[in-house]
Amino acid sequence: MRLWWITEFKFKINDKKYLKTELIYIFIIVILTLILWPSKTLDVNKYSIPDLFLIFSLSHFLFITYLSSLISSGNLLAEREFKTLSLVKYSDLSIPNIILGRVFSTLLYILYLFVILFPFNLIINFSRDISRIFMLYFLLILDTIPLIGLGALWSTFINPSLNWLFHWISYLVFIIIPFIFPSTFFLFPLNNILWLVGAENILYVSVNFDPPKHIPIIILFYLLIFLISILIAQKRLKYYKGEEKE
């Protein structure tokens, strides 16, 4: 398999459109930090907001999962120059290589964002124990897997309106369903993040999360969504490529 997606990843980290997105997000969380920090001198020892980490965990969740869906579906402005359909039409890459390459490229970019955000998260964590930052990152990666798979599927739609609509629907469903159907809480990402940072103490929601029991279920459930999305995407692209040859 040609590792063309590494070149695409390098493009992502050097592209000004991506840089603009990163700087806007970092600017927003820095402003939030300055507003919410309890000490005017930014003294860590005067920390008095027990769930400040919660605010930024949710911020990362909303930003990173949305961005992963946006990139994989090809709806980010920078991605429009490298649409999945264009790769199928004009490149000599195989369809599985194209789909998996887009997935790996997006995952690498998310890991790159984690590196950028790590110093900030370390400050906000207010603890020598950084294990919960890595747990947050693990859950965020887990949360992006089904959205990246679905995004890859949406990128195979020729109609950009349908692509955009499905991208938004899949993103919102993963946020809203836990609140509509509380019994499904352990299958969807927002409640996993809430469990991690103790949000039930603030939002008064009951999160009975049992990691040994629920983490394997979440992984299997997310992988199932991802694999089904990838398989359907490949089938759609084979059909599209066959039509193009005709």
Side-chain angles (χ1 to χ4, degrees):
M1 179 181 289
R2 288 168 55 184
L3 302 181
W4 63 271
W5 44 272
I6 294 180
T7 302
E8 186 177 270
F9 165 67
K10 290 178 180 178
F11 166 79
K12 284 180 170 64
I13 62 178
N14 292 321
D15 189 81
K16 292 181 180 179
K17 296 170 187 174
Y18 277 91
L19 179 61
K20 183 178 179 181
T21 302
E22 296 159 16
L23 291 177
I24 289 173
Y25 178 64
I26 291 172
F27 174 76
I28 290 172
I29 59 176
V30 167
I31 293 299
L32 279 174
T33 303
L34 295 174
I35 293 173
L36 296 172
W37 202 289
S39 168
K40 292 181 179 179
T41 60
L42 302 183
D43 185 356
V44 172
N45 295 322
K46 293 183 179 180
Y47 170 69
S48 62
I49 303 178
D51 292 289
L52 185 60
F53 188 70
L54 162 65
I55 296 170
F56 294 100
S57 297
L58 291 177
S59 175
H60 293 340
F61 164 75
L62 294 171
F63 171 71
I64 290 173
T65 52
Y66 177 73
L67 189 61
S68 65
S69 177
L70 196 68
I71 293 172
S72 57
S73 61
N75 284 309
L76 188 68
L77 186 60
E79 286 293 313
R80 293 179 183 178
E81 300 171 6
F82 300 92
K83 282 186 174 294
T84 302
L85 293 177
S86 298
L87 288 172
V88 172
K89 188 174 181 179
Y90 299 112
S91 74
D92 60 349
L93 298 169
S94 67
I95 288 175
N97 197 345
I98 290 172
I99 292 292
L100 292 178
R102 298 308 302 271
V103 169
F104 291 145
S105 174
T106 305
L107 282 174
L108 275 178
Y109 182 68
I110 298 303
L111 292 174
Y112 169 73
L113 288 179
F114 288 168
V115 173
I116 292 176
L117 292 170
F118 184 79
F120 174 82
N121 290 323
L122 193 61
I123 295 172
I124 295 299
N125 190 37
F126 292 101
S127 171
R128 294 180 180 178
D129 180 14
I130 63 174
S131 61
R132 68 174 182 170
I133 296 178
F134 291 112
M135 179 58 74
L136 172 64
Y137 283 176
F138 167 72
L139 290 177
L140 284 171
I141 281 290
L142 195 59
D143 295 340
T144 62
I145 287 174
L147 288 172
I148 290 174
L150 289 168
L153 175 56
W154 309 147
S155 71
T156 65
F157 284 82
I158 299 175
N159 188 328
S161 298
L162 281 178
N163 182 341
W164 184 259
L165 177 64
F166 288 140
H167 148 69
W168 265 106
I169 289 175
S170 58
Y171 175 70
L172 292 176
V173 160
F174 268 69
I175 296 175
I176 294 172
I177 276 188
F179 295 100
I180 300 177
F181 305 104
S183 61
T184 66
F185 73 89
F186 60 86
L187 294 177
F188 290 91
L190 183 59
N191 287 93
N192 300 340
I193 299 298
L194 297 183
W195 161 79
L196 174 67
V197 294
E200 65 270 21
N201 297 326
I202 293 179
L203 303 180
Y204 304 104
V205 295
S206 177
V207 181
N208 300 313
F209 193 91
D210 182 6
K213 177 182 177 182
H214 291 146
I215 287 290
I217 296 175
I218 293 169
I219 292 174
L220 289 175
F221 181 67
Y222 283 7
L223 284 178
L224 184 62
I225 294 175
F226 175 79
L227 290 174
I228 291 174
S229 300
I230 292 300
L231 290 174
I232 296 175
Q234 289 187 35
K235 197 165 186 177
R236 284 183 55 82
L237 289 178
K238 286 178 182 177
Y239 179 77
Y240 171 78
K241 194 168 186 177
E243 280 193 335
E244 284 298 316
K245 286 182 179 179
E246 292 177 5

